[in-house]
Amino acid sequence: MSRNNVDLRIKEELCKGCRICVEFCPKKVLIMKNEKVKIDDIEKCIKCGLCELRCPDYAIYLGGNDNEKQ
Amino acid sequence: MTSKLIKDYFRTDKLPHIWCPGCGHGIMMRSVAQAIHNLGLDKDKVCIVSGIGCSSRAPGYMDFNTLHTTHGRALAFATGVKLARPELEVMVITGDGDCAAIGGNHLIHAARRNINITTIVFNNNIYGMTGGQYSPTTPTNEFGTTAPYGNIDKSFDIPELAGAAGATYTARGTAYHAKQLTKIVENGIKNKGFSLIEGISICPTYYGRKNRKGSIVDMMNWLKDNALDIKVASKLPEEKVKGKFLIGEFKNVTEPEYTEEYMKIIERFQKER
């Protein structure tokens, strides 16, 4: 998967506000707002995918050309 | 829209799942799907069986041949599926209570037979669905709704139990170490025989609250700080290993597999006839 073709996406209706992605993001890209995850500073994102790996509710992921196309 | 893995391997119309915020089961269910994807298995050739409990809701969300059965009997149903259709990759997703208490006998006998089933135990140390009763893996002196003064029982080490009973592959992972869990589930599926993988989950709602384990993130950090890979542990002095729990592969051996031995007997008698 080429990292240039992907970007961080959030599916807000699936988020239960557990904060796991916010706390374990190595670059502190994410914040919580009204008990839902929000992107605070996308410029800092290194597209490592740790948020996607540990999201229990599949609400955040690296989407884009290769990861999302069916 | 959701990620390709979720779209390909889950019944997305059933999401969001019923698990509480921060429940480790969602992370581990994803790891299991990732392992199946990595091995390139045909979805129609995989059968996932479960019993009753929080963990056992998982196959409801997974888009394979799935079977949600009675409490503790997932391995009994899975044994039936495997013998009837040996070409299927049969997997069991079960919980600590379902596997080690109500289904304890099925577990040791499935392990003894070394039948080619991959069992993944989502261990949250408590009976979550029914309201936080203590389970066979609740640590000594910790609390549950049925242990208001502390649990006096010793807890089960499920991989050790299964390994001693005859399972040919045993391993442990955690919800925090999700990538490693994917790897050991892959190896468990590849093993021809009974594989038992214990995934240590977090239950912030019951276990966490009853035992004052802090927030969801605190519980994830506890997994991170207290899990020790068995390969690393063997090189460390004893005092650094004390109080931690081991993760990684514990047993990986090759022994005759049950369905193959069973088919050999059928073939032998068909020849003689």
Side-chain angles (χ1 to χ4, degrees):
Chain A
M1 190 171 75
S2 159
R3 296 227 160 145
N4 295 329
N5 294 338
V6 296
D7 61 77
L8 198 59
R9 305 205 174 168
I10 291 170
K11 205 176 174 187
E12 212 174 85
E13 64 270 29
L14 289 182
C15 179
K16 291 178 187 164
C18 69
R19 297 187 67 92
I20 289 176
C21 59
V22 177
E23 297 292 334
F24 292 106
C25 172
K27 295 288 172 188
K28 303 287 170 227
V29 173
L30 305 162
I31 50 161
M32 290 307 282
K33 207 172 182 184
N34 301 326
E35 303 200 333
K36 297 272 181 191
V37 61
K38 292 271 186 310
I39 296 170
D40 183 38
D41 185 0
I42 195 64
E43 293 302 311
K44 287 195 274 183
C45 180
I46 52 168
K47 299 169 184 176
C48 64
L50 285 178
C51 49
E52 182 180 351
L53 183 76
R54 297 208 180 95
C55 176
D57 298 290
Y58 321 125
I60 188 163
Y61 63 101
L62 290 170
N65 293 345
D66 0 22
N67 199 22
E68 215 169 24
K69 200 165 61 184
Q70 271 286 63
Chain B
M1 292 290 246
T2 180
S3 73
K4 197 167 183 302
L5 182 83
I6 303 302
K7 204 186 259 175
D8 286 353
Y9 293 97
F10 288 82
R11 295 170 180 147
T12 44
D13 56 322
K14 298 275 192 289
L15 295 175
H17 52 60
I18 66 154
W19 293 321
C20 306
C23 176
H25 288 11
I27 306 171
M28 301 204 291
M29 183 164 78
R30 189 186 178 282
S31 288
V32 173
Q34 183 76 60
I36 295 171
H37 173 77
N38 291 356
L39 292 173
L41 300 178
D42 181 355
K43 265 165 68 170
D44 293 330
K45 295 275 180 230
V46 176
C47 179
I48 304 184
V49 187
S50 74
I52 296 294
C54 289
S55 61
S56 299
R57 300 288 303 215
Y61 305 111
M62 302 180 84
D63 193 15
F64 300 92
N65 302 297
T66 57
L67 202 57
H68 193 178
T69 72
T70 49
H71 204 0
R73 315 298 174 221
L75 277 165
F77 283 86
T79 303
V81 172
K82 187 70 193 174
L83 280 170
R85 297 280 301 274
E87 76 278 12
L88 290 182
E89 193 56 65
V90 182
M91 297 171 75
V92 169
I93 294 182
T94 176
D96 46 319
D98 196 50
C99 162
I102 299 96
N105 227 337
H106 294 297
L107 171 71
I108 56 175
H109 289 285
R112 181 173 64 91
R113 284 170 165 162
N114 194 31
I115 186 162
N116 192 3
I117 294 171
T118 306
T119 305
I120 300 126
V121 185
F122 287 4
N123 179 1
N124 56 5
N125 304 103
I126 210 152
Y127 286 94
M129 185 170 277
T130 48
Q133 293 83 0
Y134 71 91
S135 84
T137 57
T138 305
T140 314
N141 297 327
E142 298 222 324
F143 298 90
T145 45
T146 46
Y149 308 111
N151 174 28
I152 55 173
D153 296 357
K154 267 197 252 174
S155 62
F156 260 142
D157 182 329
I158 300 174
E160 199 172 292
L161 173 72
T168 46
Y169 182 91
T170 63
R172 184 186 286 126
T174 81
Y176 179 83
H177 305 84
K179 271 202 172 146
Q180 188 198 25
L181 186 63
T182 302
K183 192 73 211 150
I184 58 179
V185 172
E186 272 177 51
N187 291 347
I189 295 170
K190 279 195 253 173
N191 172 44
K192 214 175 191 184
F194 190 79
S195 310
L196 188 124
I197 295 125
E198 183 188 36
I200 306 289
S201 187
I202 56 170
C203 175
T205 304
Y206 285 110
Y207 181 73
R209 246 185 237 166
K210 277 271 164 208
N211 294 290
R212 299 177 193 272
K213 298 281 180 190
S215 70
I216 295 160
V217 174
D218 292 338
M219 291 184 82
M220 284 292 274
N221 274 321
W222 186 88
L223 289 179
K224 180 182 159 192
D225 298 337
N226 288 279
L228 195 57
D229 196 280
I230 186 161
K231 284 180 192 151
V232 180
S234 62
K235 291 177 192 131
L236 286 175
E238 207 176 303
E239 66 268 18
K240 285 199 171 165
V241 180
K242 214 179 159 204
K244 307 232 167 158
F245 68 91
L246 297 177
I247 57 172
E249 287 180 1
F250 303 136
K251 188 178 175 187
N252 193 354
V253 295
T254 308
E255 272 170 37
E257 196 271 324
Y258 189 72
T259 38
E260 277 185 6
E261 298 300 306
Y262 197 90
M263 295 307 157
K264 273 184 203 164
I265 290 186
I266 293 176
E267 271 170 36
R268 204 171 83 206
F269 281 90
Q270 276 173 342
K271 266 181 206 161
E272 282 174 14
R273 220 172 356 152

